[in-house]
Amino acid sequence: MPIDAILGCQWGDEGKGKIVDQLARDADWVARFQGGANAGHTVVCGGRQLVLHLVPTGILNPQVRCAIGNGVVLDPEALVEEIRYLEHELSLPLAGRLRISPFAHLVTPLSRAVESLSAQDSAIGTTKRGIGPAYMEKATRRGLRVEDLLAPAEWKEKLRVEWDALRRSVGADEGAFARAAGEGFETIAARLSEAASALAPMVCDVTDLLLSEDDRGAAIIAEGAQGAWLDVDHGTYPFVTSSNTTIGGVCTGLGIPPQRIRKVYGVVKAYTTRVGLGPFPTEFTGPEADRFRERAGEYGATTRRPRRCGWYDAVLSRRSCRLNGVTELVVTKADVLGEFATLKMAVGYRLSNEARAEVRGGNAGIPWFSAHWLERAIPQYREFQGWRAPLEACRSWDSLPPAARQYLEVLSEESQVPLGWVSIGPGREQVVRVTS
Ligand code: IMP
């Protein structure tokens, strides 16, 4: 059985965690391929709300084994802490069910120090989990990887070289860098070595493992973090994360060839949210925005920052579904729209006259999907009658109110992908398979 991917098709926080949890019931392996502890996957499991940052959400299904691929940037201390938290919450040992690639790059207190001392990251509104600096180090070819942690004889020397290089790159003296990192060099080196001993038994050739498991017919899910519009190449650069959140990231971040991928589930919320700065054409403004955020509980799982909220943007979803080769759309949080008398959905864009003058010969739409043009895009809305009824108790597609079905059908048509599932609440049972 080939590999299925579950990818966010907006700006992250689409509710992928719950969908992975659902689809992982029939899976043998779930693997993360990009991002790091900037992700926050919230899942309600056995009446408890659990938030996962680095461990793939699939771990909540007891038969599933999980892998962290080379494309992830891994904070060893955060991972050890998360494993302990999950073992406590689930009353199950997890270490034997988790595998880590030796090629995953490390996020350390040094990465966070660089981020906190960097003006650019605060201008983007990052999660402050050291993600950008870790990917930056990877690109400089000086970065530290999991395999470096496992070589105690050379580890400290490598960390020292990295410490000095990063400290100089931000123009900090030893004291200022140690303050930004939270501790001095010796303490950090010792702490990371301690985390290394806990993680060492989980390290293996994840690529070979997944390919061999795929060869023997295992069901494997690639679990995305963040969303298409945060992709470092295809998103709203520079207001993006530092990894490839789109389909190519599955191949490079796990080391698997594209023809092994079968289904691609594209997860979208029934509306749109984004955290941090950057363009957002369909964003709500005024008191409506605050009321909606409260009602929808739209606060970051990792940082608790209020999320910006707005109408569903089918133009962006259409693009991200094409980009990802999505075969089935999964819509989450449809229940949250139940109170609106009228709903809107962006189905096209127009440029202001002023912006149009910038595009020679252009008269409609936007020339390409960059932050520059999205800031100038005026959404063209289609309006819908609201259903004004709770959806939380519905358990089948037919039991959804006709107005809700119509909204979801148009959402799928406008996104140009068939609708597979609709989630109507946080609980595991609150999900409906689309049958028509
Ligand atoms: P970074 O990934 O911490 O470098 O942050 C870069 C941008 O991506 C910021 O706008 C963050 O708010 C956003 N971001 C990163 N991870 C997530 C996520 O899991 N959900 C939503 N936004 C995210």
Side-chain angles (χ1 to χ4, degrees), residues 27-107:
D28 300 301
W29 286 91
V30 176
R32 271 279 301 270
F33 57 89
Q34 49 70 230
N38 49 349
H41 292 162
T42 307
V43 181
V44 176
C45 170
R48 272 164 315 171
Q49 192 180 67
L50 301 173
V51 184
L52 293 89
H53 298 285
L54 268 167
V55 177
T57 312
I59 205 83
L60 303 178
N61 281 273
Q63 89 291 354
V64 169
R65 283 175 293 164
C66 289
I68 295 181
N70 57 280
V72 170
V73 284
L74 185 150
D75 180 334
E77 294 179 284
L79 181 58
V80 170
E81 201 181 308
E82 188 170 326
I83 292 170
R84 290 200 184 119
Y85 154 76
L86 289 171
E87 284 182 334
H88 172 75
E89 291 293 324
L90 302 171
S91 310
L92 278 176
L94 296 194
R97 292 168 55 211
L98 187 60
R99 297 285 177 274
I100 301 169
S101 166
F103 300 160
H105 276 252
L106 300 180
V107 174

Side-chain angles (χ1 to χ4, degrees), residues 10-29:
Q10 294 166 319
W11 276 289
D13 307 319
E14 297 92 350
K16 294 176 292 297
K18 176 179 168 180
I19 304 307
V20 172
D21 180 51
Q22 172 82 15
L23 296 175
R25 286 176 192 188
D26 300 320
D28 300 301
W29 286 91

Side-chain angles (χ1 to χ4, degrees), residues 11-13 38-40 115 124-129 131-132 225-226 230 239-242 274-277 302 305:
W11 276 289
D13 307 319
N38 49 349
E115 188 160 32
I124 291 168
T126 69
T127 59
K128 304 258 180 252
R129 296 296 186 274
I131 305 299
Q226 292 88 41
L230 290 172
F239 305 101
V240 292
T241 189
S242 303
R274 94 169 283 179
V275 203
L277 304 176
T302 300
R305 284 181 295 173

Side-chain angles (χ1 to χ4, degrees), residues 186-208:
E186 290 297 333
T187 313
I188 288 172
R191 267 177 26 197
L192 287 167
S193 298
E194 199 183 316
S197 331
L199 300 180
M202 302 174 219
V203 179
C204 73
D205 184 341
V206 163
T207 295
D208 186 62

Side-chain angles (χ1 to χ4, degrees), residues 57 65-66 86 116 119 122 132 158 191 204 282 330 349 351 357 360 397 434:
T57 312
R65 283 175 293 164
C66 289
L86 289 171
S116 72
S122 44
K158 282 190 178 159
R191 267 177 26 197
C204 73
T282 60
V330 181
Y349 291 150
L351 282 178
R360 218 173 329 147
W397 174 246
V434 179

